[in-house]
Each structure stands twice: as C-alpha cells, then as structure tokens.
C-alpha cells in the first residue's frame, strides 16, 4: 500500500505584476519545487521490489453491464436504501447537436464482486431524454432520495420523486416549472435559507452550443414539499453565458468591519 507523505505547502507567487524575466524564474522555481516534492514522496515509498503499488484497479468487467450510450455525467447514490452505492448515468444527445434521445441508465449495487443490476426500466419506463446531468437529492424532506434530470436542446428537465424501496414517480408536469432549456448542470442548495433544497440550473440557451449567444442561469425555488417556482427573472443576473455546462453552489459570508 502506498504510504501517505506529509503535505507540502506550495507558495503562491504573483506573476501579474513582475517583469517577464521574473515570471520565467518564478515558473521555473515552482517547477523545481514540484519535482522535489514528487521525488520526496517517491522516496517515502518502501523499496520492496516484490510489492506492487496501485491506486486504482479496473473492475469494469466485474461490476458493470455493457453500456454503449453517450454518457455526459455519472451520479453515485444509494437510491433503494440498502446502504450500498448505486450508479446513475446521464445519457443522450451529441456534443454540439441534439442527436437522438437515449435512456439514462441506473445500475443497482449487488455487493462485492457481483455485477450491478440494471433497473432503468423500473425507474424511467420507456422514456428517453437528451440528458446532460443527473442528480440524486431529497427534495421534499421525506428522507427518500429523488432523481433530477437536466436535459438539453430546448427540452423539459425531469423530476422523479422517490416512493421508497427504489421506486419512483415522474412528477415533472406538476412540480417543475414548464420550461424548455439546454441545461448543462444542476446544483441544489438552500438559496433562501428556509431549510429546503432549491435548484440552480446552468442553461446554454437555444441552438447549438458552438455558435449561439448563450443562456441565462436559472433559479427554481422549492416550497419545501418539492414543488418548484421559477424565480430567474427577478433573482438572477441578466447575463447570457455560452458553453454553460458546469456550475458550483457556494455559500459566501461577508464580514464588514
């Protein structure tokens, strides 16, 4: 097993206000420091020639059924309450054109050295989407995981509410804003401090992501029971973002002295 080494503090050097020569020297010094750190960490590894060191081992054939779709993101979560991590794949669409809708697949963990069981049809039935992101969260505070699908090329994102024991119900038509978008990512957090999970959705806008003018990031606020209202027009900046495929939800605290 690889032994952990002591962390190394890498100095932060401002390269924006120095002359060109200083920039080059600074970059060179950082490179030398990183090499020194790598060499030091390698020396911490016991020199046993009969020991094989691995960080990861490929177990794809052991655990995963065959998949051939265009997978954009993967979510890991326990969706059936058995305390084992399951896999959810957001599939569908091409890179810069809509392409064909596909099944977003779900595989349930069966335990050590056993192949995951596909339960896609039990959750999504025969529904196919242009899915770019898939999230598992408890959006109605019933301690049962729910599934959110962010879809692209001006299609409706989807919400599946958990019923327990790995069963889900599509409640998109009644609990989500009816908005066709090109959602590259979704993050959930409590934006209004009322104790429930709201959604922030990155939307790259209508048309091809390669040449359109971009889209406005959306905000859907939860009422606490899993019903969402679109507050984009009043609460979000009027900024169009191209290639809006990724976002992070952060809580920033400002202290004024």
């Amino acid at each position: 097993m690889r032994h952990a080494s002591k962390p190394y503090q890498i100095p932060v050097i401002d390269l924006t206000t120095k002359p060109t020569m200083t920039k080059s020297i600074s970059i060179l010094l950082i490179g030398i420091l990183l090499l020194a750190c790598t060499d030091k960490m390698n020396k911490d590894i016991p020199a046993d020639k009969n020991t094989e060191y691995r960080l990861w081992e490929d177990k794809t054939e052991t655990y995963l059924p065959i998949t051939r779709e265009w997978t954009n993101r993967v979510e890991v979560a326990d969706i059936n309450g058995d305390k084992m991590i399951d896999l959810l794949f957001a599939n569908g669409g091409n890179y810069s054109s809509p392409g064909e809708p596909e099944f977003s697949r779900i595989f349930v963990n069966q335990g050590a050295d056993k192949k995951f069981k596909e339960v896609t049809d039990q959750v999504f039935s025969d529904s196919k989407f242009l899915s770019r992101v898939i999230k598992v969260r408890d959006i109605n505070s019933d301690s049962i995981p729910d599934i959110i699908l962010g879809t692209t090329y001006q299609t409706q994102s989807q919400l599946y509410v958990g019923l327990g024991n790995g069963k889900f119900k599509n409640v998109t038509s009644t609990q989500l804003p009816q908005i066709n978008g090109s959602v590259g990512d979704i993050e959930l957090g409590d934006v209004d401090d009322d104790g429930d999970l709201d959604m922030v959705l990155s939307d790259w806008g209508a048309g091809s992501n390669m040449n359109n003018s971009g889209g406005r990031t959306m905000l859907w606020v939860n009422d606490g029971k899993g019903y969402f209202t679109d507050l984009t027009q009043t609460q979000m900046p009027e900024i169009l973002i191209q290639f809006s495929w990724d976002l992070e939800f952060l809580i920033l605290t400002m202290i004024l002295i």
Side-chain angles (χ1 to χ4, degrees), residues 87-106:
L87 300 173
L88 301 90
F89 293 6
N91 296 335
N94 294 335
Y95 182 78
S96 57
S97 62
E100 295 296 326
E102 295 178 334
F103 290 112
S104 287
R105 298 193 180 275
I106 300 180

Side-chain angles (χ1 to χ4, degrees), residues 3 42-51 53:
H3 293 273
N42 288 336
K43 289 179 180 178
D44 288 341
I45 300 173
D48 184 352
K49 295 181 179 180
N50 298 320
T51 302
Y53 298 98

Side-chain angles (χ1 to χ4, degrees), residues 118-155:
E118 183 168 7
V119 296
T120 301
D121 57 344
Q122 298 177 32
V123 177
F124 297 133
S125 186
D126 58 353
S127 298
K128 297 181 179 181
F129 307 105
L130 301 175
S131 301
R132 191 60 62 118
V133 59
I134 187 166
K135 298 283 185 176
V136 176
R137 300 289 190 275
D138 179 11
I139 57 96
N140 53 5
S141 303
D142 62 357
S143 300
I144 301 173
D146 310 300
I147 299 174
I148 307 103
L149 278 170
T151 63
T152 58
Y153 290 101
Q154 300 306 108
T155 56

